[in-house]
Amino acid sequence: MPHFNDISKQLFGKPLSELGEIERRILAHARDRRAIATDSHATFAAGLSFGERLADNIARIGGSWSFIIGFCGFLVCWVLLNTVLLAAGAFDPYPYIFLNLMLSMLAALQAPVIMMSQNRQAERDRFAASKDYEVNLKSEVELIALHHKVDDVLLREISELRADLAALNRQLERYRAPPAQE
């Protein structure tokens, strides 16, 4: 088996000492014939804290049609309750100052939570892209190694065929040669 440094030069065009951590790990996995593909979502999710999972769930709910429709229903109920049903004794009469305060507080809290979730989604995307790169790189390394093996087999077979052809030519020449004159 060729030396690891020779393989590095052959596959990456640079010595092993100049390879990055990912390339070294890929070569080690290829050498040991181990899989490198993992479920990037599960791997990333395993490292999330309770607060991060909570923020993701709040963003998932807050960015859904069910939340929008439910919240519109809540607003309609609030307005109907304070305008029609409790006309004289409404706890938040028109112009609904208490409702505006609650909506402002909800927006003030919901916006940073959604931004945190979006930042984490960007991190998740970068993590997945990194894992995809590793899998693609290993596939490339394996394909190149496979090409080299096939090339070696073909060259050996061609060499053997040439040797067989040369032997057949020698035998043919012996049969063709006129008998020696006495």
Side-chain angles (χ1 to χ4, degrees):
M1 179 168 182
H3 187 267
F4 216 43
N5 201 39
D6 295 337
I7 294 172
S8 169
K9 285 180 184 175
Q10 188 177 27
L11 296 175
F12 294 108
K14 51 187 171 183
L16 186 63
S17 60
E18 293 180 13
L19 292 182
E21 178 189 339
I22 293 173
E23 287 89 1
R24 288 176 190 234
R25 188 171 58 237
I26 297 302
L27 279 179
H29 275 70
R31 180 192 62 205
D32 300 340
R33 300 193 189 279
R34 289 183 292 149
I36 197 157
T38 59
D39 181 2
S40 61
H41 176 71
T43 305
F44 187 82
L48 294 179
S49 69
F50 173 75
E52 291 170 331
R53 286 193 307 273
L54 180 65
D56 287 344
N57 287 330
I58 289 172
R60 188 176 307 112
I61 293 167
S64 67
W65 279 108
S66 58
F67 175 79
I68 292 170
I69 292 168
F71 201 69
C72 285
F74 169 76
L75 293 175
V76 168
C77 289
W78 184 281
V79 169
L80 285 176
L81 181 69
N82 281 288
T83 304
V84 178
L85 298 177
L86 301 173
F91 59 89
D92 187 22
Y94 181 81
Y96 313 112
I97 296 171
F98 184 63
L99 177 62
N100 283 326
L101 174 67
M102 289 182 33
L103 292 176
S104 297
M105 289 186 337
L106 177 65
L109 292 174
Q110 194 176 21
V113 169
I114 290 172
M115 287 175 35
M116 286 188 295
S117 182
Q118 287 175 339
N119 289 340
R120 203 165 11 274
Q121 182 61 46
E123 289 175 24
R124 181 180 288 122
D125 292 344
R126 284 190 296 275
F127 182 78
S130 171
K131 288 296 181 184
D132 288 347
Y133 170 73
E134 289 179 10
V135 169
N136 291 342
L137 185 60
K138 183 166 186 273
S139 296
E140 212 172 312
V141 165
E142 292 290 341
L143 280 173
I144 291 170
L146 186 60
H147 278 286
H148 286 297
K149 287 178 183 177
V150 168
D151 289 347
D152 289 345
V153 168
L154 287 175
L155 288 174
R156 187 171 11 102
E157 285 181 0
I158 289 171
S159 175
E160 290 171 1
L161 286 172
R162 284 184 177 169
D164 290 346
L165 187 59
L168 286 172
N169 279 335
R170 283 192 298 274
Q171 287 179 353
L172 187 59
E173 287 299 321
R174 272 188 263 151
Y175 287 120
R176 279 191 191 168
Q181 304 263 340
E182 292 180 24

